[in-house]
Amino acid sequence: MRRLVWIPVTAGGLAFAAILLYAAISALKPGGEVLAVPIEWWPSRFEWHNLRLPFEETPFARYYANSVFVGVTVTLLNIVTCTLAGYSFSKFSYPGRNVAFVVVLATLMVPLEVIYVPLYALIYDLGWVNSFAGLIIPAGTSAFGIFLMRQAIDSVPDELLEAARLDGAGVIRTLLTIIGPLVRGPMAALALFIFLMNWDSHLWPLLVASDDDHRTLPVGLAAMQANNLGASGIPMMMAAAVLALLPTVVLFLSLQKRFVEGVAMSAGLR
Amino acid sequence: MAFVLAVAVAGTGALTACGGDDEGGDGNVTLTFWTHTHPPMIDLNKKLIAEYESKHPNVKIEYQQIPNTEFATKMLTSLSTGAGPDIINMDDNALRGEYFPKRLLSPIDPAGFGKSSVEEVEAEYVPGTLDGAKDAEGKLYGVPSEFNGTAFAINTKHFKDAGLDPANPPKTWQDVVDYGKKLNAAGHKQAFNFLYLHSGWYNQWFQTLANQTGGSILSQDGKTATLTSDGSKKALQLWVELARTSGIADPKTSSRDATAPYQDLASGVQSMAIVYPWSMDQIKGSNPDTYKDLAVVPLPQVDAAAQPVSRVYGYFWSVNAASKRKSEAWQFIAYLASARDRWLTDVSFVQPVKGWESSAPAKQIPFIDVIAQAYANGRYDQVGPHWNEVQDTIHKAVDEAVFDGKPVDQVLTEANEAVQRSIGS
Amino acid sequence: MTTTTARPVRVPGSSRAPGRRRRVHGRDLVGAALSLPALLLFAFFAIYPGLRVFYLSLFDYSLTAPPEFVGLDNFRFLAEDPRFRQAVLNSLFYTVGTYLPALALALALAVVLRRRMRGLGWVRLLYFLPVATSWVAISVVWRLVLHPDGLLNETLHIDVNWLTSSSTARWALVIMGIWKETGFFLILFLAGLARMPEDVHEAALVDGANTWQRFWRVTFPLLKPITAICSVIAVIRGFQAFSPQVVLTGGAFDTEVVNLFVYKTAFESARMGRASAVAVLMFLLLIAVTLVQLRVFRRNDV
């Protein structure tokens, strides 16, 4: 009886992963075979050249580098700002703390798409249109990240901190030497989460930075969909999509354990 | 890690270099120029920019292309907030629907063209062709980068397969249906299809048909929605007949891939399509074999006996009202416009100057007389306030009638109310 | 900087009693300062624009002309606008259709996959993978999956026009949504189960409860807090969906969700006031739903 459960569960998992496998194989098919009827599971030959198409026909390498740069910077910024704020909200008491925390959480409920209007005007006044500053700085912190880190640091026993304080450790040193090592899991979760979110960010980069020097992958992908690139279209789009999926999937695979632990620690709640 | 570092260094360089488009006191001028993406056009723009820069060493042109699907949004947002490029290239629907009413653009500067008055600039163009770039008071805001008339393409090989004479193309939409059935019988299942891309495309097909059936979206004064008029109903009924009830093609199999709008015609799957000069040029580039089989013929009509009606639209170069370099911008536009023979040769973009159809490069285009005829019979689209919403409404109405099979009367009644709400608020 | 201000206080151990109060206070000030980087970023790039959205919802504003005060006109318009009503219904359908099955599936999978067993890590991973994909890129892939001649139709030997019919397009988005989102909640549920004391289960086993009873009596009640969080996150994610609709249907065939409506109203039609009014309504709705959810879960908790 128990054994039988594994069959559908494993089959379901394989079905989930099959979509990605299908994407990967389609990206390597010769153009005519992608939508062949009946379906061609295995290409007659692997067109490795497809993977080079996006780089040859569009500034894909530049989009990629931009996405990596923006993603890494935004992630680092978030780790710093969210950890500091989470620490602050969790382990110190001062007037206004709870109000600030609730206000931060409330911003989760506002559709970003609308904030973009006044935000765009602000970024324009700052002279950050078509600049990395405009892409990075407004994304420098996140409500979800602060929430995550606060929950994680909440679970660090006060006695540990008290002991550190009696040992003469300052606020920052306590963070670096006591809390930091204990919340490495949640931090990894945060990093992965922010990087994923940023890698996905579509509308804001589109509005604020649209020249090729600053265009990121999602905007570039959308642009490639819209460009009239003729018969090479579908294999190239699939190749581009698969290449765009790769970093986050690889990152996820390598950080997976920590991610799950991290979420466990912070989302496990009281 | 080294990679990330390299990217980071490259990034910070750009970070500090940004926002530096205002020139110092050395007399250098930087102009920004945005267009949508159409690869042959981009190539020629780049060449012309390079030439212009070498002739005017103090001028630097920053050229950017915006993805077609995001073009309208991006342009409107950046211009509306006072940002945006010095020079834009925009279609007449958007110009008249959004840009003129919002006073985002600056009227044409004849001095940039070496002329003393706007009338002198206008005198070079075929009368009526600049109407797409005029506001309600008749003030001119740009010159055309491309001017398109609607024609029809048939696959002569398919015609022969079906025992049809390519020299006798369909003259009416009823012919299209009749021929379509024969093409179907010969194994060409996709005889004729519309292209179902974004709302702008839905709107252009609808207006093409409505021009012939006497339909309209708005009343003459632009204050009332007229989608429930007989002519408008006939237009949508004709669409439904062509796309759905006649069965000459399945609209659901129509390629919706903006990657290549005319993919089905170009790949030899589809037998007939409504086309523009640039689409033929694109097919020639992507599918030269199919291109050889295609013939361009006049747009079929509702009534073969009546005066034929076609549709025209244009893209126009214009200057941002907020630009600090207006006269330099107009000089550059004048240079782009002066390359009219190359626009025709390289990109099949028509600049409708007087006598264009008898110019040497025009003679090289095989179907030039058909296209010239289309221009002569052409009419600009109707445009009104909040036109994006109106186009979305048309899009929805057509989807419901053609794909969901809802009754034409019902969808147009709903659409009419929606249009009325849009223009009245 | 903060380190140096904290440091002088720590050195001598002599004056602990009188210094204690001031020292704690000083530490708290430093602690408060730690939230400043985040709070400043929030103030500039979220709260200020957010407040401006509330303000603009009372104006007719097209970006180019100065805003004109219209009171509650925007809200009045929305109250009777069929397109907005449809957008709310579309969002509701997408949210319920995607997240109810995704949560249920994730919970069921979590119960099965929680065990530490060889090979199980790999099965879990299969479900996690979609979480790591970006919406835009994966939507490009799903266009192909949902194509009339694509993977889904060809594998199941069906002939459904997933993306070009008002009766199926919404389901296409739901199918993709479930595929994409289940893994995310699976992670959260596994996290919740991992914290569950093993002996509770053992005790239930000894009691002779069967699998089903064990789940409902022991496991599920213990999972309440994490379920509460999951359902709150699910509603927020559901109502803020945007990219899949943009890439797959562009909002056609009754898939124009609220956020897409907001986006088009704001950026295509430049009706900033009206778009802001929609945002205000959505904000209030989400706050209300969240409070209700938390209350429901809390009450049952007792």
Side-chain angles (χ1 to χ4, degrees):
Chain A
M1 167 64 205
R2 166 123 342 135
R3 290 273 153 74
L4 286 180
V5 175
W6 299 111
I7 298 169
V9 168
T10 312
L14 290 173
F16 267 55
I19 305 281
L20 290 173
L21 191 67
Y22 173 71
I25 293 178
S26 296
L28 296 172
K29 279 181 182 173
E33 292 176 22
V34 178
L35 284 172
V37 180
I39 195 163
E40 304 240 10
W41 289 108
W42 206 247
S44 59
R45 67 197 139 87
F46 281 97
E47 286 279 10
W48 294 102
H49 178 73
N50 285 352
L51 293 180
R52 289 217 299 273
L53 285 176
F55 296 97
E56 286 169 1
E57 299 197 19
T58 69
F60 197 70
R62 180 76 214 203
Y63 302 159
Y64 221 97
N66 289 342
S67 264
V68 171
F69 172 65
V70 173
V72 169
T73 341
V74 165
T75 305
L76 292 177
L77 253 178
N78 269 278
I79 290 180
V80 174
T81 58
C82 295
T83 309
L84 288 178
Y87 182 28
S88 171
F89 288 149
S90 169
K91 295 297 179 195
F92 300 89
S93 63
Y94 46 88
R97 185 192 73 166
N98 291 340
V99 175
F101 185 59
V102 168
V103 167
V104 164
L105 283 190
T107 59
L108 276 175
M109 317 270 172
V110 184
L112 278 177
E113 283 69 26
V114 179
I115 285 198
Y116 286 166
V117 179
L119 191 56
Y120 182 84
L122 179 66
I123 294 299
Y124 175 69
D125 288 340
L126 290 169
W128 290 353
V129 170
N130 267 335
S131 78
F132 283 112
L135 285 172
I136 292 166
I137 294 174
T141 191
S142 89
F144 185 77
I146 292 174
F147 176 72
L148 194 86
M149 291 318 291
R150 194 193 85 133
Q151 295 300 121
I153 294 173
D154 258 354
S155 70
V156 176
D158 284 341
E159 295 77 39
L160 268 182
L161 302 190
E162 183 69 6
R165 191 178 62 76
L166 292 178
D167 275 355
V171 170
I172 293 291
R173 189 133 77 98
T174 308
L175 177 65
L176 293 179
T177 58
I178 311 287
I179 297 176
L182 286 173
V183 298
R184 224 178 265 162
M187 264 190 199
L190 172 68
L192 185 58
F193 197 80
I194 297 293
F195 191 82
L196 275 175
M197 239 165 53
N198 203 268
W199 196 256
D200 211 8
S201 174
H202 178 196
L203 191 54
W204 179 245
L206 170 73
L207 289 172
V208 85
S210 62
D211 60 351
D212 275 343
D213 287 347
H214 300 92
R215 200 175 271 171
T216 55
L217 267 181
V219 187
L221 275 180
M224 286 161 70
Q225 282 246 81
N227 277 356
N228 309 320
L229 283 162
S232 64
I234 293 181
M236 194 190 83
M237 275 316 298
M238 292 312 283
V242 168
L243 287 169
L245 290 172
L246 218 55
T248 48
V249 171
V250 169
L251 200 68
F252 183 84
L253 290 182
S254 51
L255 282 178
Q256 187 250 129
K257 268 228 168 74
R258 292 221 150 159
F259 186 71
V260 176
E261 279 167 14
V263 174
M265 189 167 174
S266 46
L269 303 169
R270 300 148 268 167
Chain B
M1 191 59 216
F3 172 63
V4 172
L5 207 64
V7 175
V9 172
T12 39
L15 197 81
T16 46
C18 73
D21 66 341
D22 267 32
E23 53 287 335
D26 51 4
N28 285 340
V29 177
T30 301
L31 295 174
T32 44
F33 174 33
W34 290 5
T35 73
H36 64 290
T37 49
H38 179 64
M41 172 190 77
I42 292 169
D43 290 345
L44 184 54
N45 270 330
K46 284 184 177 162
K47 280 185 211 159
L48 293 171
I49 288 167
E51 291 166 22
Y52 192 78
E53 284 178 340
S54 71
K55 277 184 197 159
H56 302 83
N58 63 325
V59 179
K60 169 124 184 36
I61 315 273
E62 276 178 13
Y63 178 37
Q64 283 182 31
Q65 305 93 45
I66 316 292
N68 295 349
T69 40
E70 279 109 18
F71 185 60
T73 313
K74 171 79 188 166
M75 279 284 197
L76 192 61
T77 314
S78 52
L79 265 82
S80 298
T81 46
D86 296 295
I87 302 149
I88 68 167
N89 180 40
M90 183 52 82
D91 70 272
D92 65 274
N93 263 276
L95 291 180
R96 292 179 293 146
E98 300 282 353
Y99 290 68
F100 299 156
K102 294 199 161 93
R103 302 177 189 285
L104 296 174
L105 300 174
S106 119
I108 201 164
D109 172 16
F113 294 82
K115 301 275 161 58
S116 56
S117 71
V118 178
E119 287 72 29
E120 265 185 68
V121 178
E122 273 198 62
E124 293 203 355
Y125 290 87
V126 177
T129 55
L130 297 181
D131 290 356
K134 285 182 182 169
D135 68 7
E137 283 91 51
K139 198 181 267 180
L140 182 66
Y141 285 83
V143 292
S145 58
E146 58 181 295
F147 182 70
N148 291 293
T150 313
F152 202 66
I154 59 170
N155 188 316
T156 57
K157 189 167 161 294
H158 291 193
F159 266 54
K160 285 172 202 152
D161 292 345
L164 294 164
D165 179 9
N168 181 24
K171 289 186 182 54
T172 63
W173 294 109
Q174 188 54 50
D175 290 347
V176 171
V177 172
D178 296 341
Y179 288 25
K181 288 184 174 150
K182 288 182 183 151
L183 286 159
N184 287 166
H188 299 295
K189 295 293 177 208
Q190 221 189 110
F192 169 79
N193 249 344
F194 292 94
L195 282 173
Y196 300 92
L197 302 173
H198 57 72
S199 300
W201 286 80
Y202 279 75
N203 176 56
Q204 67 181 348
W205 304 137
F206 182 78
Q207 297 219 24
T208 306
L209 298 179
N211 281 349
Q212 296 183 3
T213 59
S216 59
I217 298 171
L218 300 180
S219 60
Q220 282 297 321
D221 64 1
K223 297 218 165 75
T224 319
T226 53
L227 281 173
T228 46
S229 69
D230 280 348
S232 305
K233 279 183 190 167
K234 273 186 202 149
L236 187 55
Q237 263 151 7
L238 176 57
W239 190 329
V240 173
E241 159 81 4
L242 286 164
R244 184 184 176 97
T245 37
S246 70
I248 57 172
D250 183 353
K252 287 166 183 157
T253 60
S254 166
S255 163
R256 289 179 164 250
D257 230 319
T259 316
Y262 283 94
Q263 200 173 7
D264 294 339
L265 182 68
S267 61
V269 170
Q270 190 174 324
S271 311
M272 301 182 276
I274 303 174
V275 293
Y276 302 104
W278 60 262
S279 38
M280 297 314 293
D281 192 70
Q282 190 188 321
I283 295 169
K284 192 175 168 185
S286 64
N287 296 55
D289 292 339
T290 317
Y291 178 78
K292 281 184 218 124
D293 295 330
L294 296 179
V296 177
V297 300
L299 184 72
Q301 301 290 316
V302 167
D303 178 359
Q307 168 72 22
V309 189
S310 176
R311 169 186 174 267
V312 292
Y313 75 94
Y315 269 78
F316 292 84
W317 290 304
S318 192
V319 173
N320 187 347
S323 166
K324 296 189 186 80
R325 298 284 164 194
K326 292 196 181 79
S327 63
E328 288 90 344
W330 283 113
Q331 282 168 28
F332 173 64
I333 289 178
Y335 182 77
L336 290 175
S338 70
R340 50 187 66 128
D341 285 355
R342 289 163 75 189
W343 283 110
L344 207 49
T345 316
D346 291 13
V347 199
S348 293
F349 277 6
V350 171
Q351 318 260 303
V353 290
K354 283 176 181 157
W356 70 270
E357 68 275 15
S358 48
S359 68
K363 296 274 188 216
Q364 297 296 311
I365 295 180
F367 330 106
I368 193 65
D369 44 330
V370 174
I371 291 168
Q373 193 60 41
Y375 289 124
N377 301 332
R379 225 187 261 169
Y380 268 112
D381 279 345
Q382 195 175 26
V383 173
H386 303 294
W387 208 239
N388 271 310
E389 286 178 8
V390 173
Q391 293 193 350
D392 279 354
T393 302
I394 304 275
H395 183 163
K396 187 171 192 299
V398 171
D399 273 348
E400 288 177 350
V402 171
F403 291 92
D404 293 341
K406 284 196 193 165
V408 165
D409 273 355
Q410 185 196 328
V411 301
L412 283 181
T413 304
E414 285 171 17
N416 203 57
E417 281 167 23
V419 169
Q420 194 65 50
R421 288 177 66 78
S422 287
I423 59 173
S425 67
Chain C
M1 197 195 94
T2 40
T3 340
T4 43
T5 48
R7 218 162 252 161
V9 207
R10 74 186 157 95
V11 191
S14 53
S15 61
R16 184 172 294 170
R20 177 155 190 146
R21 196 167 236 151
R22 262 184 50 204
R23 192 162 58 193
V24 170
H25 190 67
R27 269 183 100 91
D28 280 341
L29 269 185
V30 175
L34 295 183
S35 67
L36 280 183
L39 288 183
L40 282 177
L41 284 171
F42 263 112
F44 276 106
F45 301 116
I47 294 168
Y48 160 73
L51 291 177
R52 217 166 137 72
V53 164
F54 272 81
Y55 172 79
L56 284 176
S57 70
L58 302 175
F59 288 80
D60 181 4
Y61 181 41
S62 69
L63 283 177
T64 42
E68 186 190 326
F69 184 77
V70 294
L72 295 175
D73 274 7
N74 288 321
F75 294 96
R76 228 167 274 142
F77 180 92
L78 291 170
E80 50 196 42
D81 185 28
R83 186 169 172 179
F84 173 62
R85 198 177 310 139
Q86 188 64 45
V88 173
L89 290 176
N90 293 340
S91 272
L92 199 65
F93 184 91
Y94 176 75
T95 306
V96 175
T98 301
Y99 289 94
L100 209 57
L103 284 175
L105 191 58
L107 182 57
L109 287 168
V111 171
V112 177
L113 291 171
R114 66 177 296 209
R115 295 188 186 81
R116 296 186 183 280
M117 238 176 76
R118 182 181 292 230
L120 218 54
W122 283 102
V123 180
R124 268 185 227 136
L125 212 52
L126 295 177
Y127 286 101
F128 291 168
L129 276 176
V131 180
T133 60
S134 85
W135 277 109
V136 176
I138 206 64
S139 297
V140 171
V141 170
W142 272 85
R143 270 179 73 132
L144 208 58
V145 173
L146 296 165
H147 189 277
D149 299 331
L151 180 72
L152 197 56
N153 277 358
E154 289 293 306
T155 326
L156 301 179
H157 298 291
I158 49 176
D159 184 21
V160 178
N161 293 290
W162 289 106
L163 298 176
T164 52
S165 154
S166 294
S167 53
T168 50
R170 54 181 64 201
W171 289 105
L173 280 154
V174 160
I175 292 171
M176 174 179 157
I178 294 173
W179 177 83
K180 176 87 170 74
E181 294 286 72
T182 298
F184 180 74
F185 295 104
L186 177 58
I187 293 176
L188 291 179
F189 278 125
L190 282 173
L193 284 168
R195 289 172 60 87
M196 199 171 290
E198 199 61 32
D199 49 349
V200 176
H201 243 260
E202 309 279 299
L205 270 177
V206 174
D207 282 355
N210 68 27
T211 314
W212 198 242
Q213 288 168 327
R214 269 210 313 280
F215 175 77
W216 280 116
R217 288 194 202 150
V218 183
T219 315
F220 190 69
L222 285 171
L223 277 176
K224 274 250 168 78
I226 190 76
T227 312
I229 291 292
C230 283
S231 68
V232 168
I233 294 177
V235 169
I236 294 176
R237 281 168 88 98
F239 271 88
Q240 303 207 342
F242 175 78
S243 291
Q245 281 81 5
V246 168
V247 179
L248 286 183
T249 59
F253 300 108
D254 285 343
T255 60
E256 187 176 85
V257 287
V258 173
N259 251 12
L260 191 51
F261 175 73
V262 167
Y263 169 74
K264 286 184 178 171
T265 307
F267 291 102
E268 288 184 2
S269 310
R271 298 188 194 259
M272 297 303 163
R274 189 181 294 169
S276 300
V278 180
V280 167
L281 290 177
M282 290 316 293
F283 175 75
L284 296 177
L285 178 78
L286 282 180
I287 292 274
V289 172
T290 303
L291 290 178
V292 168
Q293 281 173 303
L294 291 179
R295 174 148 297 185
V296 164
F297 279 103
R298 185 158 301 166
R299 185 175 301 153
N300 293 351
D301 233 6
V302 187

